[in-house]
Amino acid sequence: WAAVLRLYYIVHILSVLVYIPIRFVWLMEKEVLTEKSEVSKEWMGGVELTREQELLALMAIMIFMRARKVISAEELVDKFILFGRGAVTVILYFSSITLMLWYVVVLAVLFILVRKTKFIGDEDIEYFNTVSFDAKVLKPEGHDRKIMHLVVFYEDWCDKCNVLDPIFAKLSIKYSDARRRWGKIDLQRMPEYAEEFKIDTSGFTKQLPTVICFYKGRELRRLPQFTTGGKVIDNIMAEQTLIKHFELETDVHTILHPNSKTSTWRMKEEEEKKKKEDLKRKKAGKKPKRTNEQDMDKED
């Protein structure tokens, strides 16, 4: 919670709470505060709420629903600021267009002048450019071919990326060694990689940040993942989620060893290889090869 006491959060929380003096000074006689809503009466079994109460209740519900997926106090406060500003803007729209316009202007000024500070702390992360990313990750040679790279794809405007920066920094220090390295790619500066790795960077994206694990120039795993239909799975990218998904507590040799029983990475790699071979055999008019497991099943 100490991070929430920074200037950015104090100022932007006040931009929501400023509604309280506005309400009691300029809006006391407005219909939005006194007029009963038919919608709430219908949906809440006869309970009548004013339009103001209805909007504030909706804001509280939205914050509660989003709070289940937050991973830090900062992200929770970000949700409060986002939905709080939305509720205040709508209430002012129904009560005074002039006040609403002034409020929007103030928000625009705050957005320009009071920006969230970037994470400053210890980390073991390489910030790639096009040349270094191609040389070390996509087309590695020599010793680089033995290194597994965990690359974070991000954009500066993305609040979730900024919130997760301390987690990535902590993991990079704890789980970096001779065969595991961490890196970052700024998709605003290198948008070609967003297209290459199918990362949506729009304002409503669920794919920022995206973490991809590369080995010998190939993608092995990523978060967030996709369903078989191509839909993004909305994961909570918490510290333990990253550790478990990328098996950070297992050394790279064990993960990739063909006889490893503690990892499914090699099995997945072999399955993909077999599918390609079967596809080639099918095109050539030959039957797919049977695996040892299939032969054993047949014997059983």
Side-chain angles (χ1 to χ4, degrees), residues 7-141:
L7 177 64
Y8 170 86
Y9 283 107
I10 293 173
V11 171
H12 287 274
I13 289 172
L14 288 175
S15 72
V16 178
L17 299 181
V18 72
Y19 172 70
I20 297 173
I22 291 175
R23 181 193 191 282
F24 289 102
V25 175
W26 288 290
L27 303 182
M28 285 299 293
E29 303 301 324
K30 298 294 182 179
E31 290 184 358
V32 71
L33 303 181
T34 58
E35 183 182 10
K36 300 296 182 180
S37 171
E38 293 296 326
V39 176
S40 61
K41 183 178 181 180
E42 180 179 347
W43 284 87
M44 299 181 67
V47 178
E48 290 186 320
L49 300 176
T50 65
R51 189 171 294 174
E52 177 200 37
Q53 292 170 336
E54 192 175 77
L55 289 169
L56 293 177
L58 179 62
M59 179 195 76
I61 292 171
M62 293 298 291
I63 292 173
F64 175 77
M65 291 176 63
R66 296 286 182 173
R68 296 178 300 169
K69 296 184 177 182
V70 300
I71 60 173
S72 67
E74 291 179 77
E75 195 172 356
L76 178 60
V77 175
D78 283 334
K79 301 301 181 187
F80 169 78
I81 293 171
L82 174 65
F83 292 112
R85 285 174 169 178
V88 172
T89 302
V90 174
I91 292 173
L92 292 179
Y93 171 80
F94 284 112
S95 56
S96 172
I97 296 294
T98 302
L99 282 176
M100 185 205 73
L101 292 175
W102 275 111
Y103 184 69
V104 171
V105 169
V106 170
L107 294 184
V109 171
L110 290 179
F111 177 78
I112 296 171
L113 298 181
V114 187
R115 305 299 297 269
K116 186 180 292 187
T117 57
K118 290 185 68 64
F119 169 76
I120 300 175
D122 295 332
E123 61 182 13
D124 190 2
I125 298 176
E126 180 175 357
Y127 287 78
F128 291 117
N129 54 36
T130 305
V131 175
S132 61
F133 184 63
D134 284 355
K136 294 183 178 182
V137 180
L138 297 185
K139 302 173 183 177
E141 296 181 357

Side-chain angles (χ1 to χ4, degrees), residues 90-223:
V90 174
I91 292 173
L92 292 179
Y93 171 80
F94 284 112
S95 56
S96 172
I97 296 294
T98 302
L99 282 176
M100 185 205 73
L101 292 175
W102 275 111
Y103 184 69
V104 171
V105 169
V106 170
L107 294 184
V109 171
L110 290 179
F111 177 78
I112 296 171
L113 298 181
V114 187
R115 305 299 297 269
K116 186 180 292 187
T117 57
K118 290 185 68 64
F119 169 76
I120 300 175
D122 295 332
E123 61 182 13
D124 190 2
I125 298 176
E126 180 175 357
Y127 287 78
F128 291 117
N129 54 36
T130 305
V131 175
S132 61
F133 184 63
D134 284 355
K136 294 183 178 182
V137 180
L138 297 185
K139 302 173 183 177
E141 296 181 357
H143 178 68
D144 288 333
R145 288 183 59 81
K146 297 180 180 180
I147 297 175
M148 179 181 286
H149 283 93
L150 288 154
V151 183
V152 180
F153 294 83
Y154 73 99
E155 291 199 357
D156 277 336
W157 62 264
C158 173
D159 285 338
K160 187 175 181 181
C161 296
N162 295 323
V163 168
L164 288 168
D165 275 345
I167 293 177
F168 293 135
K170 178 181 177 181
L171 294 177
S172 72
I173 293 173
K174 187 175 181 180
Y175 298 108
S176 289
D177 53 47
R179 296 201 61 188
R180 182 185 279 123
R181 291 281 185 264
W182 291 75
K184 279 191 173 184
I185 287 284
D186 184 348
L187 293 177
Q188 284 181 293
R189 296 183 179 181
M190 292 166 276
E192 63 272 20
Y193 292 127
E195 183 177 352
E196 181 175 351
F197 298 110
K198 296 179 173 57
I199 301 173
D200 177 22
T201 59
S202 66
F204 299 98
T205 182
K206 294 181 180 180
Q207 290 182 262
L208 287 177
T210 286
V211 184
I212 300 181
C213 178
F214 294 94
Y215 182 68
K216 292 184 178 180
R218 297 196 305 114
E219 175 183 331
L220 296 184
R221 284 191 178 182
R222 74 160 63 192
L223 269 182

Side-chain angles (χ1 to χ4, degrees), residues 229-254:
K231 186 179 179 181
V232 179
I233 300 174
D234 192 10
N235 296 98
I236 301 176
M237 204 174 286
E239 180 178 338
Q240 289 302 316
T241 303
L242 291 162
I243 292 173
K244 183 177 180 180
H245 184 73
F246 294 107
E247 297 187 24
L248 297 181
E249 294 184 342
T250 306
D251 64 87
V252 174
H253 176 76
T254 303

